Amino acid sequence: MLAIYDPRQLLHRPLTRLTGGVLKPSLELPERVAALLEALDRLGVAVTAPPDHGDDAIRATHDAGYLDFLQTAFDAWRRIPGTGPELRASLHPNEHMRRMPEDLIGRAGIYQADAGCVLVEGTWEAVRASANTAADATARVLAGDPVAYALCRPPGHHAYADKAGGFCYLNNTAVAAHLATITGRRVAILDLDVHHGNGTQTMFYGRSDVLTVSIHGDPAHLYPFYAGYADETGSGAGEGFNLNLPVPLLSGDDAYLAAVDTGIAATRRFAPDLLVVALGLDASPADPFACMQVSRDGFARMGQAVGRMSLPTVIVQEGGYLSTELGPSLEAFLRGLGAAGL
């Protein structure tokens, strides 16, 4: 196994998130990377920086106006007198208001879905590096490597084609899947993050060549709240190719792994040519979100279950925030993957 990582991802350093009506320190910090790199070092997994794969896959999966906003909005924000170190939307459109304004804060409301996806100095360079990391891992698997791990940060599965959300800006998992589908491969996305991959679901909801499977905490009680329900199964040509498996909050290994097994059974029936695993590690009870109770052994069992499929596999790092269990959870998953022969 080879791990891909670009240190430019550290340039994005958000300061705050809005929770409970209070601005608190952000959880999506560059220090996450150190814990994940330490886990890779303990496993003896080589880490390499990716070459530049260009922006074609990013442009193919994301709206042009949104990409322009990500690249230019923060510099424009800092030129406005009295603005702070983070660009955060203060209002959002709804079903009664849908026009695109010229004003920067108005456009922020269009392109930022929530208060957790602020723009700061360095955001664009970091998120582009994160997406490029996923692209490189995919290119290596398409070239014949059985598995590659993309250490992506910021994460991506909450990002829509035209909107940031949930600490996510560019959808790294979607970039990986796109690069495989343009070669004619059928792709399955298996999202193991404790939060539903709402952005990824939306991007492939009408397609039959990509199966999206998400195991996550019940969105009736957990972010992203408005998507991730079991009756969301795809539309048009994609009907039946989207599978959501919500798990009750504070569930342990057995309940979470039962949902994983169901998702893997659906993946086997789809018979993909390539698997993209959106790997969240935030189902650990030590994670700051503390909404699930999956142990190190549970993550090892997940890795084993994925490995037993024996598919060419791209692993894209999604959530999992600073705790004593972040690195050990990754280590357990990858050890399980290796124990299964992948």
Side-chain angles (χ1 to χ4, degrees):
M1 178 188 298
L2 185 66
I4 318 300
Y5 168 65
D6 188 329
R8 289 177 295 178
Q9 296 177 31
L10 302 178
L11 293 172
H12 174 70
R13 181 175 284 276
L15 302 174
T16 60
R17 63 190 180 107
L18 180 63
T19 179
V22 178
L23 283 177
K24 296 183 179 180
S26 179
L27 296 177
E28 205 295 288
L29 296 171
E31 287 78 10
R32 298 175 60 224
V33 170
L36 299 171
L37 288 173
E38 288 169 8
L40 295 172
D41 184 64
R42 289 193 296 269
L43 289 169
V45 174
V47 180
T48 188
D52 194 324
H53 289 267
D55 290 341
D56 286 353
I58 294 171
R59 287 195 294 264
T61 50
H62 295 82
D63 172 76
Y66 172 56
L67 293 177
D68 179 71
F69 176 80
L70 289 180
Q71 292 176 74
T72 65
F74 185 74
D75 286 344
W77 172 252
R78 293 308 302 270
R79 291 195 296 269
I80 300 172
T83 55
E86 299 176 296
L87 170 52
R88 172 184 282 115
S90 57
L91 75 167
H92 296 278
N94 57 45
E95 65 271 22
H96 306 294
M97 302 187 297
R98 295 183 178 274
R99 299 293 292 270
M100 174 68 77
E102 295 183 14
D103 184 83
L104 179 60
I105 198 66
R107 286 188 291 124
I110 295 282
Y111 291 129
Q112 293 174 294
D114 56 55
C117 50
V118 297
L119 299 189
V120 296
E121 187 73 40
T123 295
W124 169 250
E125 190 171 359
V127 301
R128 184 185 182 277
S130 187
N132 187 65
T133 296
D136 189 60
T138 307
R140 291 173 186 273
V141 172
L142 291 174
D145 286 2
V147 60
Y149 169 67
L151 202 177
C152 293
R153 182 270 157 192
H157 72 153
H158 296 309
Y160 297 94
D162 60 353
K163 204 177 297 288
F167 306 146
C168 301
Y169 302 82
L170 296 177
N171 195 310
N172 307 315
T173 292
V175 165
H178 167 78
L179 287 170
T181 60
I182 62 175
T183 67
R185 268 85 162 183
R186 283 161 58 85
V187 176
I189 297 171
L190 181 65
D191 193 323
L192 303 175
D193 192 285
V194 80
H195 302 98
H196 174 247
N198 54 309
T200 308
Q201 170 177 295
T202 299
M203 294 168 87
F204 298 103
Y205 204 63
R207 293 175 58 168
S208 60
D209 60 336
V210 178
L211 173 71
T212 51
V213 178
S214 182
I215 295 94
H216 52 268
D218 186 350
H221 307 285
L222 186 67
Y223 185 94
F225 299 112
Y226 309 111
Y229 295 86
D231 61 358
E232 297 162 12
T233 57
S235 65
E239 178 61 47
F241 294 92
N242 188 82
L243 176 62
N244 288 327
L245 298 165
V247 180
L249 299 194
L250 301 179
S251 292
D253 292 356
D254 289 345
Y256 211 83
L257 269 293
V260 171
D261 287 344
T262 299
I264 286 177
T267 301
R268 289 183 184 276
R269 290 191 297 271
F270 179 72
D273 302 305
L274 183 141
L275 176 68
V276 179
V277 177
L279 180 62
L281 301 168
D282 39 8
S284 165
D287 190 85
F289 284 111
C291 53
M292 211 62 68
Q293 301 285 324
V294 176
S295 69
R296 292 186 194 181
D297 181 63
F299 283 109
R301 288 165 57 192
M302 280 189 227
Q304 290 171 353
V306 170
R308 284 194 293 267
M309 285 193 282
S310 299
L311 290 167
T313 300
V314 179
I315 303 168
V316 177
Q317 185 62 53
E318 293 288 357
Y321 302 95
L322 277 176
S323 78
T324 56
E325 288 298 307
L326 178 57
S329 296
L330 175 62
E331 189 175 355
F333 180 88
L334 296 180
R335 284 191 187 279
L337 196 73
L342 190 60

